[in-house]
Amino acid sequence: MTSTSPTRRPDTYTSNSILRGGSRQSALILQAPRQRYTLVDDYPIPELHGATEILVKTEVIGLNPIDWKSPDFNFGIPHFPFLAGRELVGTVSQSHAASRFRSGDRVIAISTDYRDGRKAAYQEFAVVLSCNAVKLPRHVSAEQGAALGVAFVTSALALGSCFGLSFSNIMGGPDLTSVIKGVGDKRIPEDVRYEALHSIQDHERALEGDWVAIWGGSATSAYLSIQLARLAGLKVAVVVDQARHGFWLSTDSHARPDLLIDNSDPDRAVEILSATVGERLYFGIDTNGKESASFLLGALQRRRRDPRHSPSPPPTPPARVERRAHLVGLAGLPETAENGKHVQTHSVPLKLFHELPEVGQALCEWMETLLCSGRLRAPRILGNHFGLADVNNALDRMRNGEIRGGKLVVTV
């Protein structure tokens, strides 16, 4: 017989006294496209909608390029006024009795569900799905934790879903391909269903020893992708501004690539990549944009034959299954890219993280394990601004290209 605690009912919530002062808060609101965010001091504190949600008091917000690109170019904004912000570290203020989180727990909150303003980071209190939260280890600072979440999820899905790389041999990590297929077609959102279920075949999945090329290695997502790829036994080639980022990348014990190529001459970079890796290059991640993604696509198209599927030919060569190359574009894909029998392009299905609890929880629990063990390192913190009102100034620094090779955070 299963016993229940006599002091905690499964249909009740626990609250921190910090909520007893009222139901209003400060928040940063986008009123219209191509405007700055506006500080509002009388915004309602969001309410929980079930046992799977927790309420978190924001301490530190992590800033992402999407935070300034969305208002500037008017995309990814479902309505106005709009609450933005994708990641934060904070303290649990309210949780359901059945939750693994308790009031006072410090957590990393990852909000990929930008359509639900309750979950946005640019406010004093935010709702977080329990399956999208990570307990912050004691040795990880709030600033470091606030810089990790979105990049980790993006990188893990790029490698684990788009490329089919299994993390099962890394401290109990997930085999995302198996997790997603186990969920079934009907629960996977239609707009990412093909990507999630059919974009890579079993014989094409990335395996230990395979090469992955990452163009734009200074981006936070690249920094996490390098770490996860290395943990899984992939060999990593990074194309980056060597003068700015070559030294710190090559001396970082967690993210040191196997091959570092300067990006000042993209055609030359492709030549070096092809000459060095050649037929072994089947996976590429671009973090910069359509132009650099087109160069990386060219490198993938220049590969020849895969030694794994083409052993030294006997008198009568056996038939082999064609293995396509795979390209993930984190900031856009080339307009000329056509999926065919040689190359498959991918957009990371981030929606799976918050739509499928199985995926969200698997990634968050694994991230927690990696952080506790010290096998995952946070990006460099290049600046810390203070107060919601200073978010605009921090985003201006990102617009101006001042922030490269690390993250900006804002202490609330």
Side-chain angles (χ1 to χ4, degrees), residues 147-170:
L148 270 167
V150 171
F152 176 85
V153 171
T154 301
S155 302
L157 284 170
L159 293 165
S161 177
C162 300
F163 294 166
L165 180 64
S166 176
F167 303 116
S168 56
N169 292 328
I170 311 166

Side-chain angles (χ1 to χ4, degrees), residues 88-397:
L88 61 91
V89 162
T91 304
V92 176
S93 293
Q94 189 176 33
S95 66
H96 193 273
S99 174
R100 78 182 184 101
F101 298 102
R102 295 289 178 260
S103 294
D105 285 348
R106 299 182 81 201
V107 298
I108 299 170
I110 308 165
S111 175
T112 54
D113 187 5
Y114 66 92
R115 295 182 180 276
D116 188 347
R118 299 178 309 130
K119 301 172 185 174
Y122 288 5
Q123 54 188 332
E124 290 183 292
F125 292 89
V127 170
V128 186
L129 292 175
S130 294
C131 61
N132 292 166
V134 176
K135 287 185 179 180
L136 184 72
R138 291 183 180 273
H139 69 275
V140 179
S141 70
E143 292 79 12
Q144 291 172 321
L148 270 167
V150 171
F152 176 85
V153 171
T154 301
S155 302
L157 284 170
L159 293 165
S161 177
C162 300
F163 294 166
L165 180 64
S166 176
F167 303 116
S168 56
N169 292 328
I170 311 166
M171 306 194 75
D175 180 351
L176 288 177
T177 299
S178 297
V179 172
I180 294 166
K181 287 183 177 179
V183 168
D185 294 25
K186 293 183 179 179
R187 287 184 50 212
I188 297 176
E190 187 175 358
D191 58 340
V192 296
R193 191 173 297 161
Y194 178 84
E195 174 61 59
L197 295 174
H198 306 297
S199 62
I200 189 166
Q201 304 302 312
D202 284 343
H203 71 278
E204 298 173 333
R205 294 180 62 176
L207 298 174
E208 183 178 354
D210 278 339
W211 278 86
V212 58
I214 300 175
W215 200 297
S218 65
T220 305
S221 54
Y223 184 71
L224 271 294
S225 294
I226 296 169
Q227 292 188 62
L228 296 184
R230 289 187 60 198
L231 286 173
L234 298 189
K235 293 185 179 299
V236 182
V238 172
V239 184
V240 70
D241 185 335
Q242 195 162 354
R244 287 185 174 181
H245 308 294
F247 178 76
W248 71 264
L249 271 176
S250 62
T251 56
D252 188 309
S253 59
H254 284 64
R256 184 186 302 115
D258 298 279
L259 177 63
L260 187 68
I261 303 173
D262 183 53
N263 69 358
S264 58
D265 183 341
D267 290 314
R268 177 61 175 161
V270 171
E271 290 288 345
I272 295 172
L273 187 58
S274 300
T276 308
V277 182
E279 62 190 26
R280 296 170 292 169
L281 182 62
Y282 273 79
F283 301 98
I285 298 175
D286 177 80
T287 68
N288 282 357
K290 293 181 180 180
E291 183 178 4
S292 54
S294 67
F295 285 108
L296 188 50
L297 177 64
L300 291 168
Q301 290 172 331
R302 292 175 64 166
R303 63 165 180 72
R304 297 185 296 278
R305 303 174 70 193
D306 179 15
R308 267 194 315 190
H309 297 283
S310 300
S312 298
T316 304
R320 68 184 180 92
V321 179
E322 177 69 21
R323 188 188 188 205
R324 298 171 300 169
H326 293 266
L327 171 65
V328 168
L330 298 183
L333 288 164
E335 295 179 1
T336 56
E338 293 183 4
N339 291 318
K341 70 175 185 177
H342 298 300
V343 180
Q344 172 73 44
T345 59
H346 301 262
S347 295
V348 176
L350 272 177
K351 184 178 286 188
L352 299 180
F353 178 68
H354 61 265
E355 292 283 352
L356 302 182
E358 296 90 338
V359 173
Q361 186 160 338
L363 288 176
C364 285
E365 290 181 353
W366 185 46
M367 179 181 173
E368 192 172 310
T369 299
L370 291 176
L371 286 173
C372 287
S373 68
R375 299 191 72 182
L376 185 72
R377 177 175 289 175
R380 300 186 302 170
I381 305 301
L382 301 182
N384 188 352
H385 290 242
F386 294 90
L388 283 173
D390 207 27
V391 166
N392 283 312
N393 293 328
L395 293 179
D396 284 342
R397 294 180 63 190

Side-chain angles (χ1 to χ4, degrees), residues 1-5:
M1 179 180 295
T2 302
S3 62
T4 58
S5 169

